[in-house]
Amino acid sequence: MTSTKTTPTTPTTAPPASSSLPRRTVLATGAAGAAAVGVLGTGVRAADAEESGQTGAAGRGRAGHEVFQHGVASGDPLPRRVVIWTRVTPTPSATPGSGKGKPVTVTWQVAKDARFKKIVRKGRFRTSAGRDHTVKLDAKGLKPGREYHYRFIALGQKSPVGRLRTAPRKRAALDNLRFGVVSCSNLEAGFFTPYRALAARQDLHAILHLGDYLYEYPTGGYGMGQDNVVVRPHDPPHEMVSLEDYRRRHASYKLDPDLQALHARYSWILTWDDHEVTNDQWKAGAENHDESEGDYKKRRARAHRAYDEWMPVRMDGTAALGDGTRFYRRMRFGQLAEVSMLDLRTYRDEQAALPGVDATVSDPSRSITGKKQMAWLKESLTRGDHAPQWKVIGNPVMIAPVTFGDLPNDLIDPINDVTGILPADGAPYNVDQWDGYTADRREVLGHIRDHQVKDVLFVTGDIHSGWACELPLDTSTQPLYGDSYGVEFVCSSVTSNNLKDITGAPQLTPLVETAILANNRHIKYLDFDNHGYSVLDITPERAQMDWYVIGARDDANTPIEWSTSYETIAGTGRVTAVDAPVEA
Amino acid sequence: MCQDAPLTGSPERAARRLEEIRASRRTVLTAAASGLAFSSALGAAAPADAASPRTRKRCYVLVTDGCRPDEIEPTLTPNLHALREGGMWWPRATSMPVMETIPNHVMMMTGVRPDRSGVPANSFYDRELGEIRDMDQPSDIRVKTIIERLNKRGFTTGTVLSKEYLVGVFGERATHRWEPELYIPVSGHAPDLLTYNALTSMVDEFDPHLVFVNLGDIDRVGHTDFTGTNLRLLRQAALLDTDLLVGRFIDGLKSSGAWEHSMVIVLADHSMDWSIPTNVITLQGAMDEDPLLAGNVVIADNGGADLVYWTGPKGKLDKAVKRIQQIAEATPGVLKAWDRRTPWLRLGPESGDVVVFCQAGWRFSDPNPITNNPIPGNHGHPATRSIPFFIGGGHPAVKAGKVFSAHARTVDVAPTVAKFFGMRTPKKRYDGKPRI
């Protein structure tokens, strides 16, 4: 998402990193689910520590320091294999991005049980400073639709225990599929309370992260609220540009206990948006990149390399590094659903310049997907007779059109005043979204219409707000005829600033929300002011999204509450409100 | 497109039909108490229980012709919606190519795809006759239907079909048949009220184990609804009426006690799409202008699909197919031109050499751009593939309130009926799957 970059300042508030410790304590006692997970933070379960001969709470063993301080993670579940990940710190000086430290051979194990009495797969993995001592591999030969435990062993220490779940077999008939849904997690803007809440749940199958997993800005460049309050400082303190920078930034996020807990508890399915490289990136540049920062494509290559090293994902279909960066990919969950994750940054043309957007946004020669990915996306939607029912599209930026056609000037002006992103003529509202590439959107929705594809569900992040939308081809006639070729559910940000944070004037938000809803009848729900997470529950009958919101982002113990729920009944392309969230 | 049905009922046609029936040694004509006439196989004009297997099971296959799945909703179609909610529902169900009435009804009753049944479309080019005709002859179906298989096992069957070409293609297969002699002008079908009366009358009079019913109003009104491509006022009125009749039929089953032994399969043969007058595709002219294709191409118009036949030398077939594809795909409104031999199509040689589908909101009118297909509502193309598909009933085989992700298809009906009646899988297996 477009973010306002400011000059780095001294952090206004910087709670010490150790503030996370009492929070974990609170979680362990206050959230039964979290306690059951037993892998919060870098802590090692007492039984595991005892079993492995680790000494003391820190469990440092013969290495004398924590080898697995960045936790464990898994991702991209397939029926018989899942990516598992960790990072070893062989010596205290072998810090992320340092290039220091000797090669290490790491043992990995996947077991049916948490105590690893029933190990089903194991192996050894050689890592080194050349890959920043990260360990990433495909754990293969697993059984479909099963939950497993996994861990790593190196230098006399055992990692925290993670849990993964394989996808069901191809033709499995599932009663439901349930994802935690998150996006836009800015470490400097607050604690990752939504991650904590999701880690405490026991009812999810995986986590969908829709982009902006981390942010590139220097400390104080994009903090909490108008004053850019730094709740927790980034490392490195400057904007990430070099490979070392990207590695260190990834590492700093991976130290967060809530993030570690959620990675350990569930397998993640991620895509990236812009901030994994830099703000408003497109295929040959970015808003937050200039010549002083060197060649843009080289910078992006460094960012992608660090991402591949540090994230539990497959690029070009493999867990290996350096064999390609194609990130759009599909994961199937029986007959019920297939998740197609998009990459809407690497191949897109440059965003239209404001305010002269009218002609550019609809230029058919411009693309947000790129030609190959567009063909791939269309194939995802029409994959023959045996494709799954729900076509879930992991979509980094909103696809629902948002127009201000007949909005009176006395409403446009205040919206423009507060957001600074509206053109005065009231055409599209955010040219960084699909609204800035309308030919591509028309091609996708037209493809859905031409093939009468049902149950297309876009799940989106980026915009730091919650939305539930129908997807018409013609917004002017949709209220009368009700044509809709899918639905879009948008989760809010984990911590990144939203409207009230930007304006500092929450009283204006209802005005903006009312104006948008009134002029876009296909948009059924909009919450511009809350942070949190969502839970997406899919059954053969319907798909339901629950929105949960948190209180103060800088309060480690902030309350979490259900906000609202919307569903789409199979075959309808319509969105309706639901009275209650799914039971956890 | 379905417009190739007769536009008016004619006394001559009725007389000819009666003559055919009387001439058949295997058919007797029965006047039911309702006043409607039924044709029955010789020796079968009696209630099912008299000479049939001892079972109280009954199966009714109700085809709401041309109904879109999103038209099943609480306000517009409350009875169909209630039936769906109380039974087994497959939201991902589809019609199969070509998304036309005759082939999909044939797929329902045969359980096999057109490359095996021999019936790929409504309208095709009969190479032997050298003319385009409807697939409305009983001999067009090359395989046994579930109707015949049930009959062979001693069950009784009935067909209540509102369209003449369906009456034609299923011929005398069913034990008891309602064969309407007069059709509504323009739409060319028997109205649902008459069809409903025939259904209830047949059940009262003969009580067949299986009744195969086509309710044509929704489709026929959809084809000719000139109230606009979006408003579809007449269509909505037809949906309300048909829903009411289905509701009455279900109520009748419940009040008679038959419900507890019944399985009611409700589905459509295809969906429906509407085009505006300017969105018309005519390929014949472009084909005639091509040196290779001129005089060597015949097109059978099926509304949303054109079947293109190469009539030139066999040795030039591959070259001609490519040329036809190129010309078709360069034409505005064309979605895709497939080589008919593409494996997934499974259409068989009757469907020609190239199968051309239009985009949503378009229609074909071949060979004449004005006269061949003037109606706004069409099907046959992929935009009309989604259908409602659900099973209600009080029989224990029907699981209440279950929704399935599996891809149900029209071709699944025969195996489902077969399983319901405990029939064994035929030696030449079904292409469809039982859904109970």
Side-chain angles (χ1 to χ4, degrees), chain A residues 396-432:
Chain A
V397 296
M398 269 185 78
I399 190 168
V402 185
T403 61
F404 290 80
D406 297 320
L407 200 65
N409 286 339
D410 58 353
L411 284 177
I412 284 188
D413 291 343
I415 297 168
N416 230 347
D417 286 345
V418 295
T419 64
I421 52 177
L422 268 181
D425 61 1
Y429 123 94
N430 186 339
V431 293
D432 191 49

Side-chain angles (χ1 to χ4, degrees), chain B residues 6 30 43 46 61 112 127-128 144-145 164 180 187 195-196 212 217 219 253 259 289 342 362 388 411 424:
Chain B
T30 302
V61 179
V112 302
R127 289 184 188 268
E128 283 186 23
K144 294 287 184 194
T145 65
E164 188 174 37
S187 70
T195 309
Y196 165 79
F212 183 40
D217 276 0
D219 174 75
L253 291 178
W259 177 255
E289 288 175 6
T342 305
W362 289 75
V411 77
R424 283 182 299 182

Side-chain angles (χ1 to χ4, degrees), chain A residues 335-336 385 387 389 450 452 481, chain B residues 92 271 360 383 385-386 405 407:
Chain A
Q335 295 190 65
L336 183 59
D385 289 346
Q389 178 189 356
D450 281 340
Q452 209 178 26
Y481 304 137
Chain B
R92 234 202 112 214
S271 179
R385 63 196 297 264
S386 290
S405 287
H407 180 199

Side-chain angles (χ1 to χ4, degrees), chain A residues 9-262:
Chain A
T9 58
T10 304
T12 309
T13 308
S18 61
S19 65
S20 62
L21 185 57
R23 187 153 57 102
R24 295 214 310 268
T25 305
V26 169
L27 277 171
T29 56
V37 172
V39 289
L40 289 178
T42 57
V44 180
R45 287 168 54 109
D48 290 337
E50 189 179 326
E51 189 179 303
S52 63
Q54 294 172 356
T55 56
R60 292 178 173 178
R62 67 178 161 85
H65 67 282
E66 285 192 46
V67 172
F68 295 104
Q69 56 192 269
H70 296 95
V72 299
S74 69
D76 283 6
L78 297 176
R80 296 192 178 278
R81 56 192 172 113
V82 177
V83 174
I84 57 174
W85 177 95
T86 192
R87 198 254 179 191
V88 294
T89 303
T91 62
S93 64
T95 56
S98 67
K100 296 178 181 174
K102 60 185 179 184
V104 180
T105 297
V106 181
T107 296
W108 59 271
Q109 297 172 331
V110 179
K112 291 181 179 177
D113 61 313
R115 289 183 170 273
F116 290 81
K117 302 293 184 191
K118 299 174 183 174
I119 294 173
V120 295
R121 286 288 179 275
K122 62 183 178 181
R124 293 158 72 85
F125 189 95
R126 185 82 167 163
T127 186
S128 67
R131 53 180 298 143
D132 211 15
H133 285 104
T134 57
V135 175
K136 186 165 86 169
L137 59 103
D138 245 325
K140 300 177 181 175
L142 306 178
K143 291 188 174 177
R146 299 283 183 86
E147 186 169 280
Y148 292 96
H149 301 261
Y150 65 95
R151 69 181 178 188
F152 302 87
I153 302 170
L155 303 172
Q157 291 187 25
K158 293 176 181 173
S159 74
V161 175
R163 281 200 246 178
L164 63 85
R165 187 183 187 89
T166 53
R169 62 184 172 80
K170 187 177 177 183
R171 296 292 178 85
L174 307 182
D175 289 334
N176 88 312
L177 185 60
R178 192 170 292 178
F179 296 112
V181 186
V182 285
S183 73
C184 306
S185 38
N186 179 10
L187 187 130
E188 288 206 335
F191 293 104
F192 290 160
T193 306
Y195 289 168
R196 167 169 55 103
L198 287 169
R201 294 181 70 121
Q202 303 301 315
D203 59 330
L204 306 177
H205 293 94
I207 301 297
L208 294 181
H209 196 299
L210 299 160
D212 293 344
Y213 176 90
L214 78 175
Y215 282 77
E216 80 277 16
Y217 294 114
T219 289
Y222 185 51
M224 182 180 74
Q226 281 184 310
D227 298 329
N228 285 313
V229 173
V230 177
V231 179
R232 302 168 310 162
H234 272 145
D235 178 75
H238 53 272
E239 181 175 321
M240 54 182 184
V241 177
S242 69
L243 178 60
E244 179 186 350
D245 296 337
Y246 282 104
R247 286 170 163 173
R248 284 175 60 181
R249 189 62 60 89
H250 272 281
S252 74
Y253 274 67
K254 284 289 194 301
L255 289 173
D256 178 84
D258 296 322
L259 181 147
Q260 283 197 6
L262 189 54

Side-chain angles (χ1 to χ4, degrees), chain A residues 189-350:
Chain A
F191 293 104
F192 290 160
T193 306
Y195 289 168
R196 167 169 55 103
L198 287 169
R201 294 181 70 121
Q202 303 301 315
D203 59 330
L204 306 177
H205 293 94
I207 301 297
L208 294 181
H209 196 299
L210 299 160
D212 293 344
Y213 176 90
L214 78 175
Y215 282 77
E216 80 277 16
Y217 294 114
T219 289
Y222 185 51
M224 182 180 74
Q226 281 184 310
D227 298 329
N228 285 313
V229 173
V230 177
V231 179
R232 302 168 310 162
H234 272 145
D235 178 75
H238 53 272
E239 181 175 321
M240 54 182 184
V241 177
S242 69
L243 178 60
E244 179 186 350
D245 296 337
Y246 282 104
R247 286 170 163 173
R248 284 175 60 181
R249 189 62 60 89
H250 272 281
S252 74
Y253 274 67
K254 284 289 194 301
L255 289 173
D256 178 84
D258 296 322
L259 181 147
Q260 283 197 6
L262 189 54
H263 270 305
R265 178 62 187 87
Y266 291 111
S267 299
W268 288 37
I269 301 168
L270 299 111
T271 187
W272 55 41
D273 192 27
D274 52 341
H275 292 288
E276 283 82 354
V277 178
T278 192
N279 186 53
D280 280 1
Q281 55 155 324
W282 52 285
K283 66 182 179 185
E287 178 274 335
N288 190 20
H289 180 83
D290 59 40
E291 288 182 0
S292 70
E293 294 165 314
D295 180 80
Y296 171 72
K297 288 195 173 178
K298 287 181 179 173
R299 177 183 183 178
R300 186 178 71 185
R302 295 192 292 268
H304 285 181
R305 177 174 168 180
Y307 192 93
D308 202 2
E309 290 172 347
W310 280 83
M311 302 300 288
V313 298
R314 291 188 197 90
M315 291 191 184
D316 255 25
T318 78
L321 303 182
D323 58 349
T325 56
R326 184 176 63 80
F327 201 31
Y328 55 88
R329 64 208 190 283
R330 288 188 278 255
M331 272 152 274
R332 176 173 178 146
F333 295 84
Q335 295 190 65
L336 183 59
E338 184 167 71
V339 178
S340 298
M341 301 299 286
L342 298 181
D343 173 359
L344 296 184
R345 292 293 170 183
T346 308
Y347 316 102
R348 72 155 71 186
D349 288 292
E350 187 172 12

